[in-house]
Structure formats: structure tokens, C-alpha cells
Amino acid sequence: MLDLTPSLTLLSLLALLSLLLLYFLSHTTKRNPCPESHPILGNLLSFLRNRHRFHDWVTHLLSTTTTTIQVNGLLGLSHGVCTADPAVVDHLLRSNFANYVKGSRFSSVLHELLGLGIFNVDAHLWTAQRKIASHEFNTKSLKQFVSDTVQSHLSHRLIPVLSEACDDGLTVDLQEVFRRFAFDNVCNVAFGVDPGWLDTNRTKTASNSVNASFVQAFDYAVELTSDRFMSPVPAVWKIKRILNVGSERKFKEAIAVIDDFAMNIIRSKERECDQIKEDKDQDHSQDLLSRFMSSTSSKDSTSTALTWFFWLIAGHPQCERLIYGELAAAVKASPTGLPTDFSYDELKKLNYLHAALSESLRLFPPVPINSRLAVADDILPDGTYVGKGWFADYSAYAMARMEKLWGPDCREFKPERWLNIDGVFQPSDQFKFPVFHSGPRMCLGKDMAYLQMKSIAAAVMYEFEIEVVDGGGDARKMIEPPYTLSLLLKMRGGLPVRMKRRP
């Protein structure tokens, strides 16, 4: 009989050495504990004290360390890291992509609202849905989006709404106006349905009543999921969900309204698909929902970005003048002579406007902090240890305020930092500027978002001088910007403005 004892002894020794190595790594690598962490309460007390300025608090903590810190929950029930290091962001989102997933941290919070949709899943479910969605964001689709959706909504909704308010001398909340405009746009692209939420001539029909109910339910559901995610003690909302009381009961009712609205759209699309089978020669639109349905046979982020952009422009009049000068030259060269009719190619040539929007996104990213969940133990590029099941956050908001990344003027609004010597826009490294995420999960709608924002900014700024009631985002106000704690960096109290027609 063959003697296996020496081989088994060697294998046992190798296994022991491997365990010792893992132990050594997990106990000698950098932990970078948060400077304001309590051994029992974790970061809870510090979080509650700084809740109103959460992102600036995180920025302070990261700027006083090696830009990666360990975060601990109440009673040590949760652990994680937070970073503002581009090399670490690259590691999380690209080079070690398979080890950092959305995981249970996302799905437990967002499952009722997003189900098994692309934003809430990993692995094969995400791969299949991303492949389908990618068809909607090619150049042909983007050009069609500009000509068929954005231009129409600008000419027949946004500009008329603002013109009416201007003529009547009214103060308008631009954050709310942009939110409604973006919502109508997204519903057209994603579902092939027009809610008409920004429409001066809306009548109180049954259809509009259903649309209004859906919008209100959707807004409530988004806010509740934000509260869930930012809750310092998740057990509280989970107990309320089990007992079906309070905000969780209202959330359940809102989800029912959303599901009913979605099912009506799906039934309509099913009838449309049946018609396509009967009439193969007829030209039918292919919105995003149709693509997903055929394969199986974020609204608010854009409006949030535009809100901060106009706030910053109001506080930097020189930038406003430069943008208007670029628009005036583009209008003069345009065949139509109207900024509301700018084509895809004309919008792409607006370099200074693109730079100003990018600079606004850098300072006030719509999703200021993002998170992943570690599948297995890991060592980050800066030497920080991450344990299995830990969350790994990266703060785009904090990264914008790191001198080592953007220089001593990092907190200033300077569109010029995005332009070369010839005034042509130069993109930044995606891991230094992860506003649209990075790596394999980089936002498919990035180009569409830029086109939409440039179209809106061009049309509004060419037509009106915008006066922000509180004076806008000058250097003083940028020190403590007025945001709310949510998944999205919304402006607290909206953006009240008055408008004056340009001569």
C-alpha cells in the first residue's frame, strides 16, 4: 500500500502556514481607525452630531488621515472602510471588481423599489441587464433623444413655464422645475410614457390624476429608501417593516401605487409587442422598457446636478458671462438660430459649458458617497485591511476637496481646470472623478446626462438672467453648502430664483 503520511503532513503544514499568513495580514495591516470612533458606540455619536453636515464631516476625517479610514457601527455590529483615494477606488470598482458587490446592504434597503433591476443586482443578473440597456445609449439613440425628447420638452414645456413665471414676476423653485422636467424626460426614455408633470396646460383628467399619484408615491419611496440607507441603527426601520407601522406602512402603500402604474405600462407594451408581431413592416419606437421586455418574451440625479450648477453660476458672474458668450456664438453659427434646437453635434462643441457642468459635478456630485460590500478579506492598495462582509465606501464629495488630487484651489469653482490651452474640454481620470462611478459599472447614461444638462443650461441661460434669491454659491456659501442628508445631494429648501429676460 502507498504511504501517504509524508504528503498529508506537508499539506497540513502548508495549510497551517496559510492560516498564519492570513492572521498576520489581518492583524498587521493598516486599520486606520476613525479619529472620532468610540469603542462601544462606534461612530454613532459623532455621526449624530454631524448629521447636518455629514459629507463635510467625512471630508474632514479623510483629509486628516491617509484618505482611508475604518468605520465601526454600534456595539461593533458593523464594520467598514471609507476612502477618498483614487487607487483604492480603482481597486474597488475595477481591479478587484469581483470582490466588491452591491450585496445585501443594497438589496435589503432597495428591494421593494428596485427589485432585481440593474441598479440593485450583481453577477449574471447585472451582466444580462447591462447588455440590454447598453443598446439604448449608443450615438444614434442619443441623437434621437436630443431631437425627439429634449428639444420638444424644452420648447413646449420648460421655456414656456419659466417665461410665464418671468412675465408674472414670480419666484420659482428651479430644483422642483428641473426635477419635473427630468422626470418627464426619463419616463419617455425608460418607459415610452409621458407623465406631463411639467406642463402649463395640464387638465385634471383621470390620466393626469394617475400620473400625479405615481409621482408622489415614487418620490416618497425614494426618500424613505434614503432614510433607510442613512439610518445609524438599521434595526429600527426593519422592525417597523415587520410590524407594518409608521413610515414603513406608508412605504408599502407607495410601492403598491408604483407597481400598479408599472403593470399598466407593461400591459400596454405587451399589446404593442403583439401588434409588432402582426405588423412587421411598421416602425415602432424602442424605449428602454421595450428592450427589457423583448429580451425576456435616475431623473433625480440630473435635476440635482443642474440645481447646484445654477447655484454656483449665480455666485460666479464671470463664468456666467463666458457661458453666455459661448452660447451666443453657437446660436449665430446654428442653422436654426435657437438654443432649444441645438443638435447633438452642436451641443458637443460647447466646451466651456461642458467644463462648467463638470466642475459643478466635481464639487457637488449627485451621488456624493457610494458603497460596496466585500465578498472576502482583502488588503487595499494603501495597505488597509478589509474584512469579509465589511462595507467599502468611497466619497466623491470628499475627493473633490482633497488638495493632493486637485491642488490648493480644490474647493474653488474653476471650470478652466477642465480646459486645455486651446479651450477644449479635457476629461479627468475616472477614478479621480468617480461621479458617474467607474470600471465595469460606470453609468451607461453619462453621455445622455451631459446632453440633457447642456441642452437645459443652454436654453435657460440664453433666454434668461437667473437671480438666485440668496445670492447663489459664492466662495463664502460654498464653505457650508445647503444640502440635505439623502442618497442624492439635494439642496435644502430648493433653489428659489427670479428671472429676467435677456435684452
Side-chain angles (χ1 to χ4, degrees), residues 321-367:
R321 287 191 288 271
L322 289 171
I323 292 173
Y324 181 75
E326 182 178 62
L327 292 175
V331 166
K332 187 176 181 180
S334 173
T336 64
L338 294 171
T340 52
D341 292 336
F342 276 166
S343 67
Y344 171 89
D345 293 324
E346 288 174 315
L347 289 169
K348 294 282 283 186
K349 294 177 183 177
L350 298 175
N351 284 283
Y352 192 85
L353 177 56
H354 197 109
L357 284 164
S358 297
E359 181 70 346
S360 176
L361 286 167
R362 181 185 73 86
L363 288 165
F364 298 101
V367 181

Side-chain angles (χ1 to χ4, degrees), residues 158-225:
L158 182 61
I159 297 303
V161 166
L162 296 180
S163 293
E164 185 176 307
C166 179
D167 295 340
D168 293 341
L170 301 177
T171 297
V172 175
D173 180 1
L174 267 192
Q175 181 167 252
E176 176 64 14
V177 170
F178 290 149
R179 189 177 70 89
R180 294 190 177 205
F181 180 87
F183 188 83
D184 285 350
N185 272 203
V186 168
C187 283
N188 270 273
V189 174
F191 310 131
V193 171
D194 184 3
W197 195 233
L198 183 67
D199 192 342
T200 55
N201 298 314
R202 284 191 3 241
T203 56
K204 294 187 177 181
T205 63
S207 174
N208 282 322
S209 176
V210 170
N211 290 340
S213 298
F214 165 68
V215 173
Q216 291 165 4
F218 187 86
D219 281 348
Y220 182 81
V222 170
E223 287 303 315
L224 200 282
T225 53

